[in-house]
């Protein structure tokens, strides 16, 4: 009997202890959330992009959109289009993958920049979706496919910077949309236009259960005007292999005082075309710890890092392809990580991913 009484007493104490721990943990998380609240990521409706453009442009003759007639599109990631079928469905697209409305003036002239290598099927699926959507949105656009020559590790960030520079050789663009080749927008209301900040269009991807991967995520598809892209010195040129160049880019946005805006998740939905995942770069996170030290020099304004050669330029019917030799990765990544004394702290690193 005594053992049973002790057992019951111990269970009661354990329950009280667990309850107190739970309450303490809950309030600790609430307090942490209050003091760690970040306001640099906000949701805005796509129609605000047009309203903001009206502040800087004449309204006369500008295109109007009826958002009530836009909405979900039937996006099929398993479709197998050909260049001929896409051309037949988009007869007004000009050589080089350019189009603009004939009955009105678009609010912005937009360059779509796609870093690319060995993904021809993905590219066709994307073009099959983008061309009709951008025409429905009445956008003056040109699609650039920036192809990395050779078989060395893929450098997505440097290809974005190269695409930015090469696109401006075709005239002035108000907006640059940096688009991964395997992501298809599901909603025609998700306008491929820029605001005055950084516009993260891929707010909800199906492989991530239609949630943003983490609060500061800025990968997949992002739109930025050329002034802000120059302000943050573009992407880093130093990430060879998959991963962390978009984290570096997001950190630059945050440190520059720019907002990261997104459409609501039900509008910013994307489907990912299935493919074999590449291995993450083994030095990616270690490189990211030193982003702040490299940021002022590592990007658009780095003469050595931006050394590249245009191997070929083709104005295909559906896109402008720029094949570039961007050099080779260094034998050791230690050249980027010689001095760790000025790296961001582990606390900053954790707050970045878990704000």
């Amino acid at each position: 009997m005594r053992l049973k009484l002790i057992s019951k007493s111990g269970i009661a104490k354990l329950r009280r202890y667990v309850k107190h721990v739970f309450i303490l943990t809950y309030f600790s998380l609430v307090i942490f959330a209050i003091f760690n609240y970040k306001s640099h990521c906000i949701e805005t409706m796509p129609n605000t992009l047009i309203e903001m453009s009206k502040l800087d442009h004449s309204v006369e003759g500008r295109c109007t959109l009826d958002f009530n007639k836009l909405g979900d599109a039937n996006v099929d990631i398993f479709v197998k289009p050909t260049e001929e079928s896409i051309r037949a469905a988009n007869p007004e697209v000009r050589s080089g993958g350019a189009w603009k409305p004939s009955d009105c003036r678009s609010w912005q002239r937009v360059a779509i920049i796609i870093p690319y290598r060995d993904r021809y099927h993905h590219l066709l699926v994307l073009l099959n979706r983008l061309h009709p959507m951008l025409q429905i949105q009445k956008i003056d656009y040109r699609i650039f496919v920036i192809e990395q020559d050779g078989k060395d590790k893929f450098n997505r960030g440097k290809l974005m910077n190269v695409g930015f520079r090469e696109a401006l050789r075709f005239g002035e663009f108000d907006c640059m949309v940096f688009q991964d080749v395997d992501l298809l927008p599901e909603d025609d209301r998700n306008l491929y236009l820029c605001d005055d900040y950084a516009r993260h269009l891929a707010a909800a991807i199906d492989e991530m259960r239609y949630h943003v991967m983490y609060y500061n995520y800025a990968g997949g598809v992002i739109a930025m005007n050329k002034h802000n892209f120059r302000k943050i010195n573009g992407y880093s040129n130093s990430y060879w292999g998959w991963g962390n160049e978009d984290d570096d880019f997001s950190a630059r946005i945050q440190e520059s005082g720019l907002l990261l805006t997104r459409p609501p998740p039900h509008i910013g939905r994307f489907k990912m075309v299935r493919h074999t995942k590449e291995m993450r770069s083994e030095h990616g996170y270690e490189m990211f710890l030193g982003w702040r030290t490299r940021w002022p020099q590592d990007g658009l304004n780095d003469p050595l890092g931006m050394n590249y050669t245009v191997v070929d330029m083709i104005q295909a019917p559906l896109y402008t392809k720029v094949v570039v030799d961007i050099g080779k990765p260094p034998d050791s990544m230690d050249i980027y990580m010689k001095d760790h004394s000025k790296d961001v702290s582990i606390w900053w690193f954790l707050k970045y991913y878990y704000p």
Side-chain angles (χ1 to χ4, degrees), residues 212-232:
V212 68
M213 186 184 295
Y214 50 89
Y215 183 78
N216 292 308
Y217 180 61
V221 187
I222 191 163
M224 183 178 287
N225 66 48
K226 59 180 179 291
H227 306 294
N228 284 334
F229 193 73
R230 290 189 180 109
K231 177 180 179 179
I232 68 170

Side-chain angles (χ1 to χ4, degrees), residues 188-201:
D188 292 332
R189 293 170 295 179
N190 193 5
L191 300 184
Y192 271 46
L193 295 174
C194 288
D195 54 21
D196 290 334
Y197 312 106
R199 179 83 174 162
H200 184 220
L201 298 171

Side-chain angles (χ1 to χ4, degrees), residues 162-190:
V162 170
F164 175 83
R165 281 194 174 178
E166 292 302 315
L168 291 177
R169 298 184 190 278
F170 286 80
E172 288 300 313
F173 289 93
D174 305 298
C175 178
M176 305 288 185
V177 176
F178 302 94
Q179 163 89 47
D180 281 358
V181 73
D182 57 357
L183 290 179
L184 308 180
E186 295 187 48
D187 198 308
D188 292 332
R189 293 170 295 179
N190 193 5

Side-chain angles (χ1 to χ4, degrees), residues 16-220:
R16 287 196 298 271
Y17 175 77
V18 170
K19 182 179 179 180
H20 291 157
V21 170
F22 176 80
I23 293 173
L24 179 62
T25 301
Y26 174 79
F27 281 104
S28 296
L29 290 173
V30 169
I31 293 171
F32 177 80
I34 291 173
F35 283 96
N36 197 41
Y37 173 74
K38 305 292 184 184
S39 60
H40 64 269
C41 298
I42 62 172
E43 288 184 4
T44 60
M45 293 298 291
N47 62 325
T48 62
L49 301 178
I50 294 178
E51 296 302 316
M52 290 178 67
S53 292
K54 290 180 180 179
L55 300 176
D56 301 320
H57 298 89
S58 169
V59 177
E60 185 178 356
R62 293 289 178 178
C63 299
T64 58
L65 287 179
D66 186 352
F67 281 88
N68 293 323
K69 295 182 179 179
L70 302 179
D72 292 335
N74 183 21
V75 176
D76 183 2
I77 62 174
F78 300 106
V79 68
K80 296 182 179 180
T82 63
E83 287 203 30
E84 290 73 21
S85 67
I86 301 172
R87 289 172 62 184
N90 301 274
E92 295 182 358
V93 173
R94 304 189 306 277
S95 177
W99 182 90
K100 64 180 179 179
S102 59
D103 58 343
C104 60
R105 289 186 299 140
S106 180
W107 289 101
Q108 297 176 10
R109 188 165 184 244
V110 179
I112 313 294
I113 296 171
I114 305 170
Y116 173 83
R117 187 172 65 184
D118 298 333
R119 293 281 182 85
Y120 184 61
H121 168 68
H122 294 73
L123 179 60
L124 290 180
V125 175
L126 177 62
L127 294 172
N128 189 55
R129 170 63 182 133
L130 277 187
H131 277 298
M133 185 194 77
L134 295 171
Q135 292 170 46
I136 289 172
Q137 295 180 356
K138 297 185 178 180
I139 292 175
D140 181 349
Y141 69 89
R142 188 182 192 103
I143 295 178
F144 295 88
V145 176
I146 314 301
E147 180 174 359
Q148 179 175 336
D149 193 37
K151 299 297 181 182
D152 288 304
K153 290 181 179 179
F154 195 65
N155 190 326
R156 178 175 175 269
K158 186 168 182 177
L159 290 176
M160 297 293 203
N161 289 338
V162 170
F164 175 83
R165 281 194 174 178
E166 292 302 315
L168 291 177
R169 298 184 190 278
F170 286 80
E172 288 300 313
F173 289 93
D174 305 298
C175 178
M176 305 288 185
V177 176
F178 302 94
Q179 163 89 47
D180 281 358
V181 73
D182 57 357
L183 290 179
L184 308 180
E186 295 187 48
D187 198 308
D188 292 332
R189 293 170 295 179
N190 193 5
L191 300 184
Y192 271 46
L193 295 174
C194 288
D195 54 21
D196 290 334
Y197 312 106
R199 179 83 174 162
H200 184 220
L201 298 171
I205 300 174
D206 64 340
E207 277 214 344
M208 303 171 192
R209 297 178 298 170
Y210 288 114
H211 288 82
V212 68
M213 186 184 295
Y214 50 89
Y215 183 78
N216 292 308
Y217 180 61

